[in-house]
Amino acid sequence: MPNTVHAYIATAADAPLSPATIERRDPGPHDVVIDIAFAGICHSDIHTARGEWGRTNFPVVPGHEIAGTVSAIGPEVTRYVVGDRVGVGCFVDSCRECEPCLQGEEQYCVAGNTGTYNAIGRDGLPTHGGYSQTIVVDENYVCAIPEGIDLDVAAPLLCAGITLYSPLRHWNTGPGKKVAIIGLGGLGHMGVKLAHAMGAEVTVLSQSLKKMEDGLRLGADHYYATSDPDTFKALRNEFDLILNTVSANLDLKQYLGLLAIDGTLVELGLPEHPIEVPAFALVANRRSFAGSMIGGIAQTQEMLDFCAEHGIGSEIEVIAADAINDAYDRVVASDVRYRFVIDAATLA
Ligand code: NAP
Ligand code: ZN
Ligand code: ZN
């Protein structure tokens, strides 16, 4: 089997991504080899490739929204057969023994989960992500993509989808709940679709009203511009749950003021700089400020099945690999509707 595959690689924080080849390991007993069809571009890829979190081990191939087809399996694989449509998200391994791992919350593995890229795998080699032709992953960290969801619109579910699904479930989203989503980007648009499908009343808080028509079409009941100071007066004490998907630092005081008694603002965005939480805005209304990171494998499968049942996929723009750097600039400029997805056939 040829293990040398084409990829797009980040070599330094200030360098554009460029074509390269990387090596994939031979499948071990429990590994599946996946021919990647599509890989979504998550803002986390950009934070990493541009060194914004200060912990990138260059060179690295980003990409943790992976959809493709199983092309080979190790001898002890039981969950998948060649030809299955599968996805891989943000991690490819974990210790499998700690409490979170045993409870299906592998993302919070005490020993740390093994990132799909920018980590060291069990084979001792750096992990490389989805901007490549293939990936080799232990079957326990692979999800099945149900029939009825095309692979291109499925790819972003593996990060953006689960990152919103998990807190929506954790904070009991459903009919009668008022949920606000800050930022209508890759994560945010999935939040709108999922919260709507769960029966909540959904409000988008976007920088402007430019994307309002889309937001309402995706399932939002209300849409407000945060550039308008009246928004924060009109929606004071309004929401049970606010999910912040913004990749930059926001003035949280204003947003916490939108929470009802016992309401929770969940931070999902991972901006470069620390977040300031003003105590007065928090203690009023017994508000909570929380965080949430992706979701476990079982819940990711549950989310994929939920999406199939409700006809949910990501809104995407498919690009060729040589457009990755332009796409990065457009994501940073909030000019994405609503996820760029790389067609892996263009990598060669
Ligand atoms: P994205 O597609 O760029 O969406 C972010 C959205 O935030 C933008 O579309 C924009 O929406 C809004 N925004 C951007 N800059 C802003 C600013 N300066 N002020 C106010 N709003 C702004 O990014 P994404 O892929 O959804 O990721 C969002 C963040 O989540 C990133 O930091 C990423 O690293 C993080 N993330 C976290 C997890 C997790 O597990 N917690 C998982 C994946 C990603 P509007 O134009 O509508 O305002
Ligand atoms: Zn991501
Ligand atoms: Zn663990």
Side-chain angles (χ1 to χ4, degrees):
M1 179 179 316
N3 291 345
T4 304
V5 300
H6 291 280
Y8 248 67
I9 202 158
T11 54
D14 54 2
L17 273 71
S18 52
T21 55
I22 55 166
E23 297 296 317
R24 293 300 191 187
R25 66 172 181 263
D26 286 327
H30 293 282
D31 282 338
V32 299
V33 181
I34 301 167
D35 276 351
I36 297 174
F38 297 98
I41 293 180
C42 176
H43 207 121
S44 300
D45 300 350
I46 304 173
H47 290 305
T48 304
R50 295 187 171 175
E52 289 168 2
W53 291 335
R55 51 180 191 208
T56 307
N57 303 308
F58 294 104
V60 63
V61 174
H64 58 207
E65 294 185 335
I66 299 168
T69 307
V70 175
S71 60
I73 57 171
E76 285 166 45
V77 168
T78 57
R79 293 163 61 111
Y80 298 103
V81 297
V82 170
D84 280 353
R85 291 150 29 92
V86 293
V88 175
C90 296
F91 56 94
V92 289
D93 214 333
S94 65
C95 86
R96 309 171 193 216
E97 289 168 357
C98 70
E99 202 57 30
C101 279
L102 294 176
Q103 289 178 0
E105 304 255 46
E106 302 92 344
Q107 73 278 31
Y108 303 126
C109 174
V110 172
N113 70 56
T114 303
T116 302
Y117 60 79
N118 198 33
I120 301 296
R122 286 197 162 190
D123 54 7
L125 298 171
T127 57
H128 288 298
Y131 302 2
S132 60
Q133 291 176 304
T134 70
I135 191 166
V136 183
V137 183
D138 183 291
E139 62 173 330
N140 293 298
Y141 296 81
V142 172
C143 290
I145 295 177
E147 290 304 322
I149 313 183
D150 290 337
L151 291 181
D152 51 0
V153 300
L157 302 178
L158 275 300
C159 175
I162 185 61
T163 298
L164 276 288
Y165 184 88
S166 187
L168 286 169
R169 282 289 188 228
H170 186 80
W171 278 277
N172 301 315
T173 300
K177 295 277 181 177
K178 291 186 176 181
V179 176
I181 309 284
I182 315 176
L184 193 68
L187 265 57
H189 93 287
M190 288 312 309
V192 171
K193 286 189 172 204
L194 292 166
H196 174 71
M198 291 176 192
E201 184 177 333
V202 185
T203 300
V204 174
L205 302 172
S206 182
Q207 293 166 94
S208 74
L209 296 180
K210 273 193 291 198
K211 297 179 275 191
M212 180 155 147
E213 215 172 286
D214 287 348
L216 298 177
R217 175 174 56 81
L218 299 177
D221 300 285
H222 315 284
Y223 201 104
Y224 288 86
T226 52
S227 53
D228 178 355
D230 285 345
T231 291
F232 294 95
K233 291 185 198 140
L235 299 177
R236 199 161 172 72
N237 301 337
E238 178 78 3
F239 300 108
D240 302 301
L241 180 66
I242 301 178
L243 302 181
N244 180 19
T245 75
V246 173
S247 46
N249 287 76
L250 291 183
D251 174 9
L252 274 194
K253 180 167 172 242
Q254 301 193 79
Y255 293 89
L256 286 167
L258 306 184
L259 287 172
I261 292 180
D262 287 330
T264 303
L265 191 155
V266 184
E267 179 63 31
L268 301 174
L270 291 162
E272 186 174 358
H273 305 293
I275 299 168
E276 256 184 52
V277 181
F280 279 91
L282 201 57
V283 300
N285 273 1
R286 198 165 51 204
R287 294 169 173 133
S288 298
F289 179 63
S292 181
M293 191 171 79
I294 43 178
I297 296 295
Q299 196 176 41
T300 303
Q301 188 63 60
E302 179 189 308
M303 176 274 309
L304 288 165
D305 296 343
F306 179 89
C307 286
E309 190 185 320
H310 292 269
I312 293 175
S314 179
E315 305 285 305
I316 59 165
E317 191 175 322
V318 176
I319 60 165
D322 61 7
I324 290 173
N325 293 299
D326 289 342
Y328 272 27
D329 289 339
R330 284 184 54 196
V331 171
V332 172
S334 300
D335 178 23
V336 53
R337 297 192 182 204
Y338 284 86
R339 204 50 142 187
F340 288 109
V341 170
I342 302 160
D343 179 353
T346 63
L347 285 162

